[in-house]
Structures are given as C-alpha cells and as structure tokens.
Amino acid sequence: MAGVSYRYEQVDFNVYPLIGYAISGEVTQNGLGLLHNEPAILSATLGARRFIKLSPRWYHAISVRAKIFSSPTVKFALLPLRKIKLNFIRTEKFNTIPIAIYINMFADAGYARSKYNNENNTLNNNILSGYGVGIDVVSYYNLVWRFEYAFTNIGKHGFFVHFSSPI
C-alpha cells in the first residue's frame, strides 16, 4: 500500500481544539492489479473540521468527511479485446470494430445521516448496500453497454441497462 496525506490546521490547541479549523486529505493506492488476484483499489479522503466559540464557556464543532474509492468490482474477460474487420468497408478508420466482453460482480455500501429525518424518506440514517452481477460490452469510442442485475439490503432488485462506463 502506498499513499500520500496532507493536513492543515489553524487551531488554538492541537490536542483539543476549541477555535479554528482543520483540513485534511489523503490518497491511497492498495495494489497495482498487475499480478493474478491482486487488488487495485484507489481511495481518496477529504475532511474539514470547524471549531467555534459560541460564548465564554460554550463551544461548537462540526466535521465533514467524505471518502471515495474504486468500487470492489471483480471482472472476468469473457471475450478479451478483439478487432473485427469489415472488409466491405474500404476506409481503415471505420472497417475495424474493437470489442471486449467482461462479466463482473459488484458491491457497494453507504450511509446518509440527516437530523431532518421525515416519514417520506425512510433511507436516511440507515446503512444502504447493494450487490449484483453484470455484463459489460466495450466497443467503439470507449462506448460501454452495461447490463446489470442488482439487489439491495432493503429488498429491492432489478435489471438495469447503462450506456457508460462505471465510475
């Protein structure tokens, strides 16, 4: 694992800040994906904290932290990249069609916290997760057709078609 981190603080006391702010960021790479069964997971974390004096003896702190990472998708090349030649088209720029097909399994999870929970949104303040299987067809101009069947921890499931590459 390799990574880099940065932290900037402008606070009154590093160990127990009461006034000021702090900003932090980190980027980590776990594995390169070069070896068989080796993961290649890139993650980035960004955080901000603000410390405020409300009155002579009252203080308030707020913190926001977000983390994004490459999803734990596992892919198998059902059809490794091939080029199909259409001889009846004379222009070489257009007579070769690249195509690859991948089977994948994926999983994601997240949590959204809100103090403004209401009866219309039952997803707040709950762990949400999903998993599924899919087939990706990659062709011209980075065009990707994704066909997925996904399940969630709240009992929903369905078939989805996407025309873009997963993030």
Side-chain angles (χ1 to χ4, degrees):
M1 177 161 64
V4 62
S5 63
Y6 177 79
R7 183 179 182 108
Y8 179 80
E9 292 184 347
Q10 188 69 38
V11 295
D12 60 342
F13 187 46
N14 287 347
V15 178
Y16 197 83
L18 297 173
I19 300 170
Y21 64 93
I23 299 170
S24 62
E26 179 179 305
V27 176
T28 305
Q29 176 70 41
N30 186 1
L32 296 175
L34 300 175
L35 303 175
H36 182 66
N37 293 331
E38 179 189 25
I41 301 172
L42 178 67
S43 66
T45 305
L46 182 63
R49 296 184 300 162
R50 180 79 166 111
F51 308 97
I52 303 166
K53 183 176 184 176
L54 299 175
S55 70
R57 295 177 64 182
W58 286 91
Y59 301 89
H60 176 69
I62 186 168
S63 176
V64 176
R65 187 169 184 237
K67 183 173 185 177
I68 188 168
F69 58 94
S70 57
S71 63
T73 300
V74 178
K75 298 179 183 185
F76 172 76
L78 183 64
L79 176 67
L81 181 62
R82 298 231 170 109
K83 294 184 179 179
I84 300 171
K85 189 111 175 173
L86 304 174
N87 292 325
F88 61 89
I89 298 176
R90 292 186 181 189
T91 308
E92 189 164 333
K93 188 175 187 179
F94 299 108
N95 72 358
T96 304
I97 300 173
I99 187 165
I101 300 175
Y102 300 90
I103 296 175
N104 64 67
M105 295 182 298
F106 55 89
D108 288 304
Y111 181 84
R113 180 174 178 218
S114 174
K115 67 180 182 178
Y116 303 107
N117 201 9
N118 63 48
E119 60 191 43
N120 295 330
N121 187 354
T122 59
L123 301 178
N124 279 340
N125 306 318
N126 289 300
I127 294 176
L128 304 173
S129 64
Y131 62 93
V133 295
I135 295 177
D136 298 342
V137 179
V138 183
S139 187
Y140 268 129
Y141 304 109
N142 299 328
L143 181 61
V144 178
W145 293 292
R146 292 176 26 230
F147 306 94
E148 299 176 337
Y149 202 89
F151 302 86
T152 70
N153 68 324
I154 59 172
K156 303 286 184 180
H157 58 91
F159 179 73
F160 302 92
V161 178
H162 307 277
F163 297 102
S164 63
S165 181
I167 295 176

